[in-house]
Amino acid sequence: LRTVGRVDIGQVVPDPDQPRTEFSDEALDRLAASIRDHGQLTPIRVRWSAPLGKWVIIAGERRWRATRRAGVPAIDCVFVDGELARGELLAQQLIENLLREDLRPVEEARAFRELLSLNGWTGKQLADALRVPPSKVSRALTLLDLPADLQERVEAGGLPARAAYEISKLGDDAQRRTLADAVERRGLTVADTQEAVRRRRGRQP
């Protein structure tokens, strides 16, 4: 098939605008071992970049990284013809990552924001395009209202995204940081965090 082929691994490069930026070394090692033992089971999707003179990954960067780590010299690809608009490309990358639950919360939120801007979508239109609940989009975008240090704590995994969403309802960054400290230090549940937010906002249940 003209749209499917095997390409030298050095002729394929990641998309610099890919929404996912972190990859687990342990997970890559497991996938690399599987590729060495069983071969590449699913091709990656690539598009040609004339400026780079290489194939750029649309979907499958994790498999590409694992294939390199396995020492395999070539990789199976599906070639996508024509130019893809940035919004269409980002949507495809997001869908793959969302299906695999690979994106970290703030990575996901930034990708949502970029798609909204590129396509002029509403939150509901974005949710429909990605086949996710509108509440997932609105909660994710709210994380971007938090100060940068709290976003970093969400990304590091110390501050759960659901708790951070509740904390974002507080208007004062000092209160947000105090409550975030309590969540991490005392292991507050989402329900505990919701009640703490209500108290701080003067709305006793």
Side-chain angles (χ1 to χ4, degrees):
L1 294 175
R2 186 177 66 84
T3 57
V4 180
R6 194 159 176 80
V7 177
D8 184 279
I9 197 78
Q11 291 301 308
V12 180
V13 295
D15 184 344
D17 296 321
Q18 154 75 263
R20 184 183 180 193
T21 59
E22 295 291 332
F23 296 84
S24 162
D25 284 333
E26 182 180 349
L28 286 176
D29 284 340
R30 288 198 302 269
L31 183 54
S34 174
I35 290 171
R36 278 194 297 267
D37 292 343
H38 307 293
Q40 181 187 346
L41 301 181
T42 308
I44 66 172
R45 298 180 68 235
V46 297
R47 61 183 175 86
W48 177 252
S49 170
L52 294 176
K54 293 183 184 291
W55 295 96
V56 176
I57 298 168
I58 296 173
E61 183 175 342
R62 189 173 68 98
R63 275 165 281 158
W64 173 80
R65 287 174 178 265
T67 300
R68 284 203 315 168
R69 190 168 292 209
V72 177
I75 188 166
D76 295 324
C77 300
V78 173
F79 308 115
V80 177
D81 288 332
E83 288 294 321
L84 290 176
R86 174 64 190 144
E88 182 182 358
L89 180 59
L90 180 60
Q92 291 186 20
Q93 292 169 336
L94 259 179
I95 288 167
E96 184 191 42
N97 285 314
L98 288 169
L99 289 173
R100 289 191 168 90
E101 299 183 351
D102 280 344
L103 283 179
R104 296 184 302 174
V106 178
E107 283 181 333
E108 180 180 85
R110 289 175 182 144
F112 284 172
R113 183 175 61 186
E114 185 176 356
L115 268 178
L116 289 172
S117 175
L118 285 168
N119 295 318
W121 284 342
T122 64
K124 185 178 185 309
Q125 287 172 319
L126 174 59
D128 289 344
L130 298 179
R131 302 293 190 270
V132 298
S135 58
K136 179 180 179 67
V137 173
S138 60
R139 280 198 305 266
L141 292 172
T142 303
L143 296 178
L144 300 180
D145 295 332
L146 293 170
D149 59 305
L150 291 189
Q151 292 183 32
E152 290 171 2
R153 288 159 71 172
V154 174
E155 288 295 81
L159 181 62
R162 288 293 302 275
Y165 164 69
E166 298 300 331
I167 290 169
S168 71
K169 297 175 183 177
L170 294 172
D172 180 74
D173 283 345
Q175 285 192 340
R176 288 171 168 178
R177 291 186 177 97
T178 299
L179 184 51
D181 290 342
V183 169
E184 292 191 75
R185 187 175 60 252
R186 294 162 48 196
L188 299 184
T189 65
V190 173
D192 293 334
T193 308
Q194 288 173 331
E195 184 166 345
V197 168
R198 282 197 294 267
R199 287 200 305 270
R200 284 165 170 75
R201 297 178 69 183
R203 297 211 309 264
Q204 289 287 353

